[in-house]
Amino acid sequence: MGEFIRSYPWAGSSIGEPYVWPQALRTVVRILLTTGHPTLIMWGPDLTCLYNDAFSHSLGPEKHPSILGAPGRRAWEEVWPLVGSQIERVLRGEGAVWAENQRVPMIRHGELQEVYWTYSYSPIDEPASPHGIGGVLATCAETTE
């Protein structure tokens, strides 16, 4: 994913080229790329998606690599009714969210699959952003048997 992120045409995105990204985003992207834990970042007003190799393994061809740089609400349209309010809570500065073995059906391999996750949505601090939160860090593990 490091190569995908480096070669992505960020200039046309809502977050712009990496050299203008706030330090908080650059730091969290480095963490994202160096951890072995499935991780997703949703950044800025559009909740622009960035994710790592470990996260890509749980995505079907409908999402990987097409959700890279995509607005979060569009990338996760089928799950937004379940998780959107949790993400919005984090963005309002109301703290992190934790869910264990949560059913979050998602489209993979051409069908809506029953998928279970243990996940956390954590705020990424950015003083210039509303409520001081620039984005959400999602760490997760698929627990579907």
Side-chain angles (χ1 to χ4, degrees):
M1 283 308 299
E3 196 56 44
F4 277 114
I5 290 171
R6 279 187 291 281
S7 64
Y8 188 83
W10 294 108
S13 76
S14 65
I15 63 174
E17 294 280 1
Y19 72 87
V20 300
W21 292 354
Q23 184 61 50
L25 177 57
R26 288 185 278 148
T27 299
V28 176
V29 168
R30 176 145 172 82
I31 293 167
L32 168 111
L33 291 174
T34 58
T35 185
H37 198 82
T39 308
L40 165 75
I41 296 168
M42 290 177 276
W43 184 264
D46 291 338
L47 298 173
T48 301
C49 294
L50 301 101
Y51 60 96
N52 66 6
D53 288 316
F55 191 83
S56 74
H57 299 287
S58 291
L59 302 174
E62 297 85 358
K63 294 197 184 301
H64 174 64
S66 65
I67 68 167
L68 179 64
R73 290 170 189 86
R74 188 183 81 216
W76 298 105
E77 186 174 18
E78 76 275 22
V79 301
W80 204 259
L82 295 169
V83 303
S85 63
Q86 297 171 347
I87 293 167
E88 296 295 335
R89 173 190 160 158
V90 174
L91 290 169
R92 287 191 306 268
E94 297 174 11
V97 172
W98 167 263
E100 193 167 1
N101 296 318
Q102 177 72 45
R103 179 182 158 273
V104 184
M106 62 182 280
I107 296 173
R108 289 196 298 200
H109 307 286
E111 64 183 9
L112 187 63
Q113 295 183 355
E114 295 293 313
V115 184
Y116 290 80
W117 300 88
T118 292
Y119 61 87
S120 177
Y121 296 140
S122 303
I124 304 170
D125 294 340
E126 174 51 43
S129 296
H131 307 288
I133 309 298
V136 175
L137 177 67
T139 52
C140 58
E142 185 176 347
T143 58
T144 309
E145 291 194 24

